[in-house]
Amino acid sequence: MLKLYNSLVRDKQEFVPIEPGKVRMYVCGMTVYDYCHLGHARVLVVFDMVARWLRASGYQVDYVRNVTDIDDKIIRRALENGEPFTRLTQRFIDAMHEDSAALGVLPPDHEPRATEYVDKMQAMIGTLIGNGHAYAASNGDVYYAVQSFPEYGRLSGKSLEDLRAGERVDIDPSKRDPMDFALWKAAKPDEPSWASPWGPGRPGWHIECSVMGSDLLGPHFDIHGGGQDLQFPHHENEIAQSEGAHGCKFVNYWLHNGFVRVDDEKMSKSLGNFFTIREVLEKYDAEVVRFFILRAHYRSPLNYSDQHLDDAKAALTRLYTALRGAEAAAWTIAWDDPHAARFKAAMDDDFNTPEALAVLFDLAAELNRAGTAEAAARLKALAGVLGLLQREPEAYLQAGAETGGLTAERIEALIAERLAARKAKDFKRSDAIRDELKAAGVLLEDGPQGTQWRRL
């Protein structure tokens, strides 16, 4: 029985899909005006894990992750660069795809771009105006009238009065209520725009996801996900728009992943404490970063530091070392197997990846003791559900930048020289080679199969 923590009710609930055997899931994707940072990496990896587990559980999953390719930040950056906004967004969409592929993230089934849906956004805005949920203002903008939707605030757990009191909203004389939000923004000089019944302009951010989600998944679907920071106002506004336009429940289960933190502060560009995925991958193997993200429960804060990444690297190395030299038999996961059953119980409990990873370490310990092909197969198969341990162990253990100018070929040559020195009982030279390699970040491990090496 799969249970999800539903932000809408602030509790775990048994997952019951709208259509038996099928899951329709929408996740808010990236606003593409810069390289993705580690917070984006968490969203990418977490919901890739969710989709993988749903499929491993036998569901047919239709997974949508959108791209916001028109937005205030995009327009501002394009103007700063003196380039068309479409060139800017395409460059960072390509970079996002490279980063997500490096992290082992499978492509979503659909990746709609906001600019492809402007006509349908205008249609939904027209519907909202027609049924009294929106109005065209004197400044050329179109606003959603929050007072027209009595349940506004239920996702964030606050009443409209609480939200008004807690939010600093600039007074805009064109709005009927300070909390009203833009569905359509009138064009400003030098901005891209589209013709509309309300004059040239562009869509507001919130309407994008309501339209793309309902167009691809229907007006009522199973799961909507995103970062915790989107819960209010973005997801709150999506509910108001979608239910106001379609007259039915929008989403059954809302999933939100926790923040990435640096020195106990939320990682953000405004604080200058953010790291792009590319910067992190210059120092750490991409699978280490994926493991680091999955090592924490998706709803908990993820504390970034070199020490935590180093710990993740050491832990992943232990798993790959256990597989080293083991011939993994072909094994189709049998969920009644004791280890698989524990893994499944953890994942069915709101995607408890820390507990699922603990099962992998138990299997690695068993593999180190017994060294059976069956144990290796179990470890590799269960890890594969999380997108881990699918490389040949040597490829992971010996991967990384050359240290001290030592290529793999040079390391093998030094190992051969060390073996010759040992045969000649020249232990001083043998020890010197080991020390030289260790100083260069290469660890030698002598065993029954000879000398193996890995990068530290």
Side-chain angles (χ1 to χ4, degrees):
M1 180 191 298
L2 174 60
K3 288 189 175 182
L4 314 181
Y5 184 89
N6 187 354
S7 300
L8 191 64
V9 300
R10 286 166 281 284
D11 201 359
K12 290 181 188 178
Q13 292 182 317
E14 180 183 350
F15 177 66
V16 180
I18 296 167
E19 186 177 354
K22 296 184 178 180
V23 179
R24 287 172 287 157
M25 179 171 76
Y26 185 97
V27 172
C28 289
M30 310 303 131
T31 300
V32 284
Y33 69 99
D34 206 342
Y35 291 112
C36 293
H37 55 63
L38 200 59
H40 298 137
R42 191 175 199 191
V43 173
L44 291 167
V45 171
V46 161
F47 288 100
D48 177 66
M49 173 272 294
V50 169
R52 284 172 181 262
W53 181 245
L54 290 169
R55 290 183 174 120
S57 300
Y59 291 107
Q60 179 183 327
V61 179
D62 202 6
Y63 176 20
V64 179
R65 191 187 68 221
N66 78 294
V67 172
T68 294
D69 61 345
I70 185 67
D71 169 87
D72 290 341
K73 294 174 183 176
I74 290 169
I75 293 169
R76 189 160 51 245
R77 181 64 58 84
L79 288 172
E80 290 171 359
N81 292 353
E83 66 178 323
F85 83 96
T86 51
R87 184 185 301 166
L88 173 85
T89 55
Q90 188 58 56
R91 183 165 71 253
F92 289 116
I93 288 170
D94 292 342
M96 176 189 70
H97 289 158
E98 291 171 4
D99 291 343
S100 59
L103 292 169
V105 174
L106 301 174
D109 298 294
H110 309 276
E111 193 177 61
R113 302 185 185 190
T115 54
E116 300 168 342
Y117 281 79
V118 174
D119 289 348
K120 292 179 179 179
M121 292 175 199
Q122 291 183 9
M124 181 178 279
I125 294 169
T127 298
L128 289 168
I129 292 174
N131 60 21
H133 287 294
Y135 58 94
S138 58
N139 63 355
D141 292 351
V142 179
Y143 295 105
Y144 189 96
V146 293
Q147 288 193 67
S148 72
F149 190 69
E151 294 189 324
Y152 191 85
R154 66 182 176 187
L155 182 64
S156 54
K158 296 180 180 180
S159 68
L160 196 53
E161 289 70 27
D162 291 336
L163 291 169
R164 276 200 197 94
E167 289 289 312
R168 291 183 177 180
V169 181
D170 293 332
I171 297 174
D172 186 341
S174 60
K175 292 183 179 182
R176 296 176 184 172
D177 185 307
M179 289 299 295
D180 292 350
F181 58 89
L183 301 174
W184 186 260
K185 296 184 176 184
K188 296 176 183 176
D190 300 321
E191 283 191 353
S193 64
W194 287 259
S196 83
W198 317 285
R202 59 186 174 83
W205 175 39
H206 308 299
I207 195 70
E208 296 177 3
C209 289
S210 284
V211 170
M212 289 184 280
S214 62
D215 183 72
L216 291 165
L217 300 176
H220 178 207
F221 53 89
D222 299 289
I223 296 173
H224 195 314
Q228 185 180 332
D229 55 327
L230 299 183
Q231 189 167 343
F232 182 86
H234 184 53
H235 290 163
E236 194 81 71
N237 292 351
E238 278 192 66
I239 293 172
Q241 293 164 160
S242 302
E243 298 190 5
H246 299 299
C248 65
K249 186 173 184 178
F250 179 36
V251 171
N252 285 357
Y253 303 88
W254 288 86
L255 307 185
H256 293 97
N257 66 270
F259 292 125
V260 175
R261 304 180 71 83
V262 179
D263 295 329
D264 292 322
E265 287 188 299
K266 179 183 175 244
M267 190 178 74
S268 71
K269 292 189 176 182
S270 61
L271 293 173
N273 66 347
F274 75 99
F275 300 88
T276 67
I277 296 173
R278 296 184 168 217
E279 288 172 330
V280 176
L281 295 187
E282 286 176 2
K283 294 179 65 176
Y284 294 96
D285 184 275
E287 192 172 352
V288 169
V289 178
R290 184 181 180 93
F291 182 90
F292 163 69
I293 292 170
L294 294 175
R295 206 177 187 188
H297 191 275
Y298 79 93
R299 286 191 286 113
S300 67
L302 181 67
N303 293 305
Y304 173 86
S305 70
D306 282 356
Q307 180 182 344
H308 289 139
L309 265 295
D310 289 339
D311 288 346
K313 179 181 177 181
L316 186 60
T317 297
R318 289 201 302 275
L319 294 176
Y320 266 115
T321 301
L323 285 170
R324 194 177 211 173
E327 291 293 332
W331 188 63
T332 302
I333 298 174
W335 294 113
D336 58 350
D337 170 83
H339 288 102
R342 282 179 54 213
F343 184 96
K344 185 178 189 306
M347 293 299 290
D348 278 347
D349 183 16
D350 192 36
F351 311 106
N352 192 337
T353 53
E355 286 297 322
L357 289 173
V359 176
L360 302 188
F361 283 98
D362 288 347
L363 275 167
E366 181 180 309
L367 181 57
N368 286 331
R369 289 192 303 271
T372 66
E374 187 177 358
R378 282 184 168 85
L379 174 55
K380 192 162 185 175
L382 290 175
V385 174
L386 299 176
L388 298 170
L389 301 185
Q390 298 309 291
R391 287 187 277 179
E392 288 299 318
E394 298 302 312
Y396 168 79
L397 294 168
Q398 297 179 0
E402 292 178 11
T403 51
L406 292 176
T407 63
E409 292 75 15
R410 177 59 180 155
I411 293 168
E412 294 290 353
L414 284 170
I415 290 173
E417 183 181 342
R418 175 173 174 266
L419 178 61
R422 293 177 71 183
K423 287 182 178 178
K425 301 190 182 306
D426 185 353
F427 299 114
K428 183 177 180 181
R429 177 56 185 154
S430 170
D431 291 344
I433 292 172
R434 175 187 284 276
D435 293 342
E436 176 188 345
L437 288 169
K438 187 173 183 180
V442 177
L443 181 68
L444 300 186
E445 296 170 334
D446 296 318
Q449 298 175 335
T451 300
Q452 296 176 308
W453 63 274
R454 63 178 174 87
R455 295 192 189 272
L456 294 172

